[in-house]
Amino acid sequence: MTDDTLDDDEVDRIQDRLAAVRSEVRKRLVGQEAVLDQVLACLLADGNALLESTPGLGKTMLVRTIAEVTDCSFSRVQNTPDLMPSDITGTEIIRETRDGREFVFEPGPIFANVVLADEINRATPKTQAALLEAMQERQVTAGGETRKLPDPFFVLATQNPVEQDGTYPLPEAQKDRFLAKVLVDYPDDDAEREIVDRYTGRVDADIPVEQQLTTGDLLRSQELVRQVPIAEDLRDRAVELVRATRSADRLEYGASPRASMGLVVLAKARAFMAGRAHVTGEDVEAMARPVLRHRVIVDFRAERDGVTADDVIGDLL
């Protein structure tokens, strides 16, 4: 079987495993179903994700748990204003050998399948820029040598709302390298009660989870997602939506063609996770805001009136 040939049994097996991944993550994560599905869709689409919320809503636990149940190596970078680029990418150190001293590259935490960049907007712009090459090229250049990152590779970053003290807005070039921006909201009443019941009755709050997907299965699922068919009219609708952001009245500027590609592939990933053999209009609409909200900027009049990027995207839809 070649990569271009769809095997129904293989597709069914991987889709069953993805359903099991969801179930395992829910052992720790209460509520936030849409957040979980959007992050998983980014992984299936081979893209990075930016999660935004106030602290304490389970973003770090979500990312760590997804890495565990998909057999991915995991590393966490706690961003602070004094974090240096070499703290992320790695650095050359001097090591004593029998023949004398030599420079040896010590890999940084970026060399993992799933990299959690926690509170990324607390790092300075110089340190944020250290992630650009890794996120786009899947490689790191340090000490005059370029080193490939492991495959699969994802940067799942969290950030606090930019109006909070001690934060630095992400540069536009870096925001565009996140396939989706996922908003994590407060849990509802029932979910918050369940969170309290689930975690205050345990001394050890680390609820065990089981691996449900291998990295090989994850790479194969990325190939299968790309093969999910999308009708020409739905493809055109996705492209027209992105193009409309460039001339919308309340937007200072719109999204690039990277957003068009991201919207189509995320719609495919959503359809694949749902067990469907094709993309629907609902898939395109559901992924429009996560793909576009961080790639467009509302103008000063809209900002003055309290209009958000999501509001404008909703009107365009």
Side-chain angles (χ1 to χ4, degrees):
M1 183 185 68
T2 65
D3 288 344
D4 295 328
T5 302
L6 286 176
D7 184 294
D8 290 340
D9 291 338
E10 181 186 31
V11 171
D12 290 342
R13 180 184 66 83
I14 291 181
Q15 288 176 336
D16 288 343
R17 290 294 87 208
L18 287 171
V21 166
R22 281 200 197 97
S23 298
E24 286 298 302
V25 175
R26 290 193 192 106
K27 289 181 179 179
R28 293 179 180 171
L29 187 73
V30 180
Q32 309 291 4
E33 301 291 335
V35 172
L36 173 58
D37 286 346
Q38 289 172 27
V39 173
L40 288 177
C42 285
L43 266 63
L44 294 179
D46 194 19
N48 308 299
L50 177 64
L51 288 77
E52 181 178 283
S53 78
T54 54
L57 296 186
K59 301 183 296 296
T60 301
M61 179 179 63
L62 167 64
V63 176
R64 183 186 296 273
T65 304
I66 288 176
E68 286 185 42
V69 300
T70 57
D71 192 32
C72 289
S73 59
F74 172 82
S75 67
R76 178 177 179 270
V77 177
Q78 178 60 56
N79 288 275
T80 57
D82 60 348
L83 190 73
M84 298 298 292
S86 59
D87 295 330
I88 296 175
T89 60
T91 186
E92 287 190 331
I93 61 174
I94 298 177
R95 181 171 295 172
E96 296 284 351
T97 66
R98 292 181 178 178
D99 299 326
R101 297 179 178 179
E102 63 178 7
F103 283 99
V104 178
F105 180 73
E106 186 71 22
I110 197 70
F111 287 87
N113 296 124
V114 176
V115 178
L116 172 60
D118 221 351
E119 296 185 303
I120 188 173
N121 58 335
R122 291 199 180 278
T124 61
K126 180 179 180 180
T127 302
Q128 291 176 12
L131 290 169
L132 284 175
E133 181 184 17
M135 292 171 64
Q136 183 63 27
E137 307 297 335
R138 308 297 174 90
Q139 64 185 27
V140 166
T141 302
E145 184 177 343
T146 299
R147 298 170 174 84
K148 290 292 184 181
L149 293 169
D151 200 15
F153 174 78
F154 309 101
V155 173
L156 299 177
T158 71
Q159 75 169 14
N160 301 323
V162 294
E163 63 268 16
Q164 289 195 353
D165 293 337
T167 59
Y168 301 84
L170 296 181
E172 305 308 322
Q174 184 156 5
K175 287 194 289 186
D176 200 36
R177 282 163 173 76
F178 287 105
L179 181 58
K181 179 180 178 180
V182 181
L183 302 183
V184 185
D185 204 354
Y186 290 105
D188 58 29
D189 291 347
D190 293 337
E192 190 155 359
R193 292 190 189 96
E194 184 176 347
I195 291 170
V196 172
D197 290 341
R198 183 178 299 187
Y199 287 99
T200 60
R202 300 170 58 95
V203 175
D204 179 10
D206 188 17
I207 298 173
V209 293
E210 296 180 1
Q211 175 193 326
Q212 298 294 335
L213 205 67
T214 67
T215 53
D217 287 337
L218 185 54
L219 291 171
R220 180 56 179 157
S221 67
Q222 292 173 355
E223 298 173 353
L224 295 173
V225 161
R226 301 280 173 159
Q227 298 175 48
V228 174
I230 180 171
E232 288 188 4
D233 62 323
L234 288 179
R235 179 208 61 195
D236 291 344
R237 183 182 181 190
V239 172
E240 289 166 3
L241 174 63
V242 174
R243 291 180 62 84
T245 64
R246 300 167 196 167
S247 57
D249 289 339
R250 293 176 293 178
L251 294 182
E252 188 172 331
Y253 68 87
S256 71
R258 186 178 283 152
S260 301
M261 295 184 291
L263 181 52
V264 169
V265 74
L266 271 182
K268 290 184 175 187
R270 187 177 188 271
F272 185 82
M273 288 194 301
R276 282 184 270 104
H278 61 278
V279 175
T280 67
E282 183 183 351
D283 296 322
V284 175
E285 291 187 7
M287 290 303 178
R289 289 178 177 85
V291 169
L292 293 174
R293 62 167 56 109
H294 59 300
R295 290 185 163 100
V296 299
I297 297 292
V298 296
D299 60 25
F300 74 94
R301 294 169 299 175
E303 191 172 0
R304 178 196 60 197
D305 296 337
V307 175
T308 66
D310 278 18
D311 294 331
V312 180
I313 296 166
D315 291 342
L316 294 176
L317 282 170

